[in-house]
Amino acid sequence: MTPEHQTMISAKDLSKYYGSFPAVRDVSFTVPQCQVCAFLGPNGAGKSTTMKLLTGFLAPTSGSVEIAGIDMAHGRLRASERIGYLPENGPLYDEMTPRSALNYLGCARGLSLEQRKNRMNYVAQTCALEEVWNKTIGKLSKGFRQRVGMAQALLHDPDVLILDEPTSGLDPNQLVGIRELIIELGQTKTVLLSTHVLQEVENLCQRVILIDDGQIVCDRPTKEMGDLPSLENEFHKLTNFTV
Ligand code: ADP
């Protein structure tokens, strides 16, 4: 099997109830290696919940997740080694600096001193963090906090990236940088990203999965969705999505 065809994310009949409320219902899809896939839907559709299920932060009510062939229910630690996750509310560790937080996370991930040095240099440059490297994370702007979150997700060089609104809060220059980075990462990694910006889907993603009311309503290659106005129309048709 060539790397491009290897399944890296597999969600099978995933459901998640919060009490009696079904936030995610019977969601199934797979994403192969080297694909950037958009995960779209209106607010409250179930995107973040699905991402938390995929990363093992939440356990499903029913159904299963495999990451790089590893069953999340039985091999959570091994599966999480393969995943970089940018949660919707950005990075934790507000009282630390990017340098200390990334060093701490690198230790927790079992990276050697040499690996930490290399990877911290890489993410500092790639996520353009040098100027805030020794500043307190809690005092950083939304854009910088978002980039610290990206750095945390990339630190251990995972094969699978699950990015919950990676471009939210970025200014136009930062947007260009992060979008270029996502395209570059997609050459070798599997990326599932949620966004509200349809233009981003058109420019970055080979595939679109649309979720509404906890259920998948569309799963197609982006090129089959047509140009941006057609993409927008399709969303309006399938959901109450407003651009
Ligand atoms: P999205 O990311 O698409 O905006 P979410 O996955 O955050 O959607 O939420 C899906 C639904 O589940 C929403 O109706 C939301 O209010 C509800 N929900 C999310 N988290 C919780 C929670 N911890 N407890 C109860 N309901 C929740």
Side-chain angles (χ1 to χ4, degrees), residues 16-86:
K16 177 69 187 177
Y17 281 71
Y18 293 116
S20 60
F21 175 72
V24 170
R25 292 182 285 162
D26 288 326
V27 161
S28 296
F29 61 88
T30 60
V31 189
Q33 196 166 9
C34 307
Q35 185 173 83
V36 181
C37 179
F39 196 49
L40 294 187
N43 283 334
K47 301 179 296 295
S48 295
T49 301
T50 305
M51 288 180 152
K52 286 176 193 161
L53 297 172
L54 294 176
T55 51
F57 275 71
L58 275 181
T61 308
S62 59
S64 59
V65 170
E66 280 186 15
I67 299 293
I70 304 162
D71 185 328
M72 185 59 79
H74 300 109
R76 192 182 158 208
L77 278 181
R78 273 193 312 127
S80 69
E81 283 169 11
R82 311 293 292 271
I83 304 173
Y85 175 39
L86 174 72

Side-chain angles (χ1 to χ4, degrees), residues 1-8 30-35:
M1 193 183 285
T2 59
E4 288 77 16
H5 294 108
Q6 195 184 341
T7 296
M8 296 302 287
T30 60
V31 189
Q33 196 166 9
C34 307
Q35 185 173 83

Side-chain angles (χ1 to χ4, degrees), residues 141-197:
S141 67
K142 175 98 181 7
F144 272 120
R145 289 169 59 78
Q146 192 72 344
R147 285 190 276 163
V148 175
M150 273 299 277
Q152 290 181 357
L154 291 173
L155 184 66
H156 53 298
D157 199 14
D159 311 294
V160 174
L161 289 162
I162 310 250
L163 309 175
D164 203 345
E165 304 210 13
T167 55
S168 119
L170 302 184
D171 71 30
N173 288 333
Q174 296 166 341
L175 275 177
V176 172
I178 287 283
R179 286 175 184 165
E180 282 173 0
L181 174 61
I182 290 170
I183 290 170
E184 187 194 317
L185 293 168
Q187 306 292 311
T188 54
K189 298 181 190 298
T190 302
V191 184
L192 182 72
L193 66 88
S194 68
T195 176
H196 281 105
V197 186

Side-chain angles (χ1 to χ4, degrees), residues 123-139:
V123 296
Q125 272 175 29
T126 311
C127 302
L129 284 173
E130 287 101 334
E131 67 179 278
V132 298
W133 199 232
N134 290 309
K135 295 190 175 160
T136 308
I137 292 173
K139 293 184 182 157

